[in-house]
Amino acid sequence: MNQPSSMAKEEYNFYSLPTIDKCQFTNRENDTIVADMDGTLFTQQSSFPYFALVAYEVGGIFRLLFLLLASPLAGILYHFVSESAGIRVLIFSTFVGMKVADIKWVATAVLPKFYSLDLHPHTWQVFTSCKKRCILTASPKIMVEPFLKGFATGFVRSPGVIVGENKVDALRREFPDLKTSTPNIGLGDKESDYPFMKLCKESYRVDPKIKVKPLSREKLPKAVIFHDGRLVQKPTPLMALLIILWTPIGILLSCLRITILSLTPLSNQHNMLRVMGVQIKVKGNPPPKGNTGRSGLLFVCSHRTVLDAVFVAGALHRQITTVSYSIARLSEIISPIKTTPLSRDRIKDAALIKKTLEEGDLIICPEGTTCREPFLLRFSALFADLSDELVPVAISVKMGMFHGTTARGSKWMDPFYFMMNPSPCYELNFLDKLPYELTRRGGKTSVEVANYVQRLIASTLSFKCTNLTRKDKYMALAGNDGSVATKTS
C-alpha cells in the first residue's frame, strides 16, 4: 500500500484538529498562545483591504488603482507559486516609495478601527484569556511597527514574508527552547499554519466555512473613539473598484453641492441640496430669532463636521454667526454664514462670544472638535458662563464612502469629502430651550450646565459621554493640538 505523502499527512492532521469553539478559555491566566492573524484572529481572510487602506490613505486614488491592478497577479502567485510570492506583490504595490512616517500614521490612526471591526469572537475570547500572546502574520511588520528607515523600498528584507516554515522559524526565535517553554495553544486557519501549530501543546483551527459575526463593539476591551483616514468602509476589491470609479463623479458632484451651499439663500438651501442627493432631516421646532441687544440665543451643538453650523443656519432659514477654534481659510471663504475664530485665550474668547450674542444668535460646538464615533467629547463650560438662553441641538451625520473630517490631512478638503459621498445625510434635532432653573441663572455652576447639556444631547442621539477633549484627539492622531494655520487654503 502506498504511504500518504508528508503533505497529505499534514493536511489530514490539520483538518483533524478541533475547531476553535472547542477550546477551553477559562483558567488560562498563565498560558501562552500563538495565533495566525488573517482568517484566525480576524474574520477577514484576505489582507487586501488593509493594504488598500494604506495605499489610499498615503498614496491616494492612483496608488489604490495600482494595488487593485496588481492584485490579480498576487492572487495567481499566491495559489500557483507560493503564498509568499503573492504577498510580496501586495507589499511592493502598496509600499514602494512611501515615507515610513506616513505608513506608521496609518498603522496607528487608521488600521486599528478596521482591525477592531474584524475580530473573530471565539479566537478573541481564547486569545485574551492567556497571559502571553504571540501573533504570527504574513503582513509587513511596519503595519504594526516600523522596520525600515527613510523611504520604503517595497521589497522584503530577511527573513522574508512569514508564511509556512518561516512561521516556525519566527516561533523558534521567540521561544528559543521549545522543549521547556512550549506555547500552550496554537491557532490557525489553513494548512500552512500547521507547521507552527504542531509545536504547541494544544492546536485548534478556525474553519473559514463556519461564518461568524465579528466581535461586537460592546465586547471590545477598549472602544476605538479616535481614528483618522478618509474611507468609511473597508476597501475590499469590489469596494476599492467602486471608490475608484466614483471618485471623478464624486469630485464634480461635490463641487456642485458646495457651490449650492455657498450661493443659495439660506431659506432655500436645504431644498436645493435635497435635489442634489443630500439627505437632510430636521426634528423639533427651530426657535425664532432671539432678542437682539439683550442676549441672542446660543445654539449648543454636537460637532460632527465643519458644516454643522451651516446646516443649522439652513434649518433656521436665517443668517447666524458661529465660532470655531480653527478653520481652514477656504472653508471660511465658501461658508454662507459668518465664522468668527476663537483664540484659545479664555478671557478674549469669552469677551468675543458675549459681544456676538449681544448682536444676535450664535452657534457653538463646545466639544471643540469633531468625533466620528457615537461618543460626545467633554463640553467646555465656557458657553454656560456667558448665556442662559441655551438651545441644545443634537446633530448626527451619515457618510457611506468618505469621512468629512480629518485630524492629520488637509482640513480645507473636509467639506468636499463630505459632499463627495453619493448620498450623505445630516440629522438635526432641535431640543427645547433649557429652563432657566437648569442654567447659571437658576444657581447651577457652568460645569453642571455643560455636563447636563452633554448628557441631554447624548441621550437624544443614543451616544455615550466621555471626558476626552480636543487635545486628546489630536495628540492621539496627529501629535499636535489641532491648530490650523490661517494661511491654509
Side-chain angles (χ1 to χ4, degrees), residues 406-479:
T406 184
R408 186 177 181 268
S410 300
K411 291 181 177 295
W412 67 270
M413 297 180 67
D414 285 357
F416 291 93
Y417 266 104
F418 175 80
M419 290 299 187
M420 278 179 64
N421 285 286
S423 185
C425 179
Y426 242 96
E427 296 184 0
L428 310 169
N429 193 338
F430 288 84
L431 307 180
D432 293 335
K433 180 182 172 184
L434 218 62
Y436 288 132
E437 58 266 24
L438 295 178
T439 68
R440 289 292 305 275
R441 186 189 298 188
K444 302 292 184 180
T445 67
S446 58
V447 173
E448 289 174 331
V449 176
N451 290 343
Y452 175 79
V453 175
Q454 183 198 34
R455 291 195 300 269
L456 180 62
I457 293 178
S459 64
T460 302
L461 297 172
S462 297
F463 285 5
K464 293 183 179 180
C465 296
T466 76
N467 284 319
L468 298 171
T469 65
R470 173 191 180 87
K471 184 177 180 180
D472 293 325
K473 170 186 170 178
Y474 280 93
M475 291 304 298
L477 300 181

Side-chain angles (χ1 to χ4, degrees), residues 225-226 300-304 308 365-380 392-396 431 450-470:
I225 299 177
F226 298 138
V300 185
C301 310
S302 52
H303 201 5
R304 309 311 283 181
D308 291 341
C365 298
E367 289 174 277
T369 188
T370 57
C371 183
R372 295 175 173 180
E373 295 300 305
F375 296 89
L376 291 185
L377 307 186
R378 190 179 73 193
F379 277 28
S380 168
V393 185
I395 299 177
S396 64
L431 307 180
N451 290 343
Y452 175 79
V453 175
Q454 183 198 34
R455 291 195 300 269
L456 180 62
I457 293 178
S459 64
T460 302
L461 297 172
S462 297
F463 285 5
K464 293 183 179 180
C465 296
T466 76
N467 284 319
L468 298 171
T469 65
R470 173 191 180 87

Side-chain angles (χ1 to χ4, degrees), residues 151-297:
F151 289 82
T153 64
F155 295 99
V156 181
R157 73 174 187 178
S158 179
V161 177
I162 301 179
V163 295
E165 292 297 335
N166 282 348
K167 290 185 177 181
V168 174
D169 295 336
L171 188 61
R172 292 186 185 279
R173 287 195 300 272
E174 182 67 20
F175 301 92
D177 191 356
L178 284 172
K179 292 183 180 180
T180 59
S181 60
T182 306
N184 300 88
I185 305 174
L187 305 180
D189 67 297
K190 50 188 176 296
E191 294 93 337
S192 61
D193 293 330
Y194 188 70
F196 85 81
M197 294 171 67
K198 66 183 181 182
L199 298 178
C200 303
K201 295 178 181 178
E202 304 173 47
S203 298
Y204 300 88
R205 64 184 175 90
V206 176
D207 191 342
K209 296 180 180 179
I210 301 177
K211 301 301 180 183
V212 296
K213 292 183 178 180
L215 191 72
S216 63
R217 184 198 303 267
E218 294 74 21
K219 294 183 179 180
L220 290 173
K222 185 178 180 181
V224 179
I225 299 177
F226 298 138
H227 58 92
D228 211 359
R230 291 296 189 183
L231 297 183
V232 173
Q233 298 188 46
K234 182 170 57 182
T236 60
L238 177 58
M239 179 53 63
L241 178 61
L242 290 175
I243 291 170
I244 292 168
L245 295 176
W246 174 258
T247 294
I249 301 172
I251 291 174
L252 294 175
L253 186 59
S254 176
C255 292
L256 183 57
R257 287 169 171 173
I258 291 294
T259 300
I260 291 174
L261 188 79
S262 302
L263 302 180
T264 303
L266 290 170
S267 59
N268 199 38
Q269 183 189 84
H270 283 192
N271 292 331
M272 291 295 293
L273 287 173
R274 288 188 179 102
V275 172
M276 297 303 300
V278 180
Q279 301 180 55
I280 304 173
K281 302 176 182 179
V282 180
K283 300 178 181 179
N285 299 309
K289 191 174 182 179
N291 297 320
T292 304
R294 188 172 64 186
S295 179
L297 296 174

Side-chain angles (χ1 to χ4, degrees), residues 36-53 78 90 111 114-121 123 137 139 143 189-190 193 206-208 210-215 233-239:
D36 180 47
M37 189 171 75
D38 297 323
T40 302
L41 184 62
F42 298 145
T43 56
Q44 175 72 43
Q45 287 187 290
S46 171
S47 57
F48 175 87
Y50 310 126
F51 285 107
L53 283 165
Y78 184 96
L90 293 181
L111 288 178
F114 290 91
Y115 284 155
S116 70
L117 297 176
D118 286 335
L119 289 171
H120 194 291
T123 305
T137 176
S139 296
M143 293 174 74
D189 67 297
K190 50 188 176 296
D193 293 330
V206 176
D207 191 342
I210 301 177
K211 301 301 180 183
V212 296
K213 292 183 178 180
L215 191 72
Q233 298 188 46
K234 182 170 57 182
T236 60
L238 177 58
M239 179 53 63

Side-chain angles (χ1 to χ4, degrees), residues 45-116:
Q45 287 187 290
S46 171
S47 57
F48 175 87
Y50 310 126
F51 285 107
L53 283 165
V54 178
Y56 183 83
E57 300 299 349
V58 177
I61 194 72
F62 293 108
R63 178 58 69 97
L64 180 61
L65 176 61
F66 179 47
L67 174 63
L68 188 62
L69 293 175
S71 61
L73 174 60
I76 292 172
L77 293 175
Y78 184 96
H79 289 98
F80 297 104
V81 179
S82 70
E83 183 179 351
S84 174
I87 293 176
R88 284 171 184 266
V89 171
L90 293 181
I91 293 172
F92 180 83
S93 303
T94 301
F95 294 136
V96 59
M98 286 184 179
K99 290 183 179 180
V100 168
D102 293 333
I103 302 172
K104 288 172 62 180
W105 164 71
V106 176
T108 56
V110 180
L111 288 178
K113 164 64 178 179
F114 290 91
Y115 284 155
S116 70

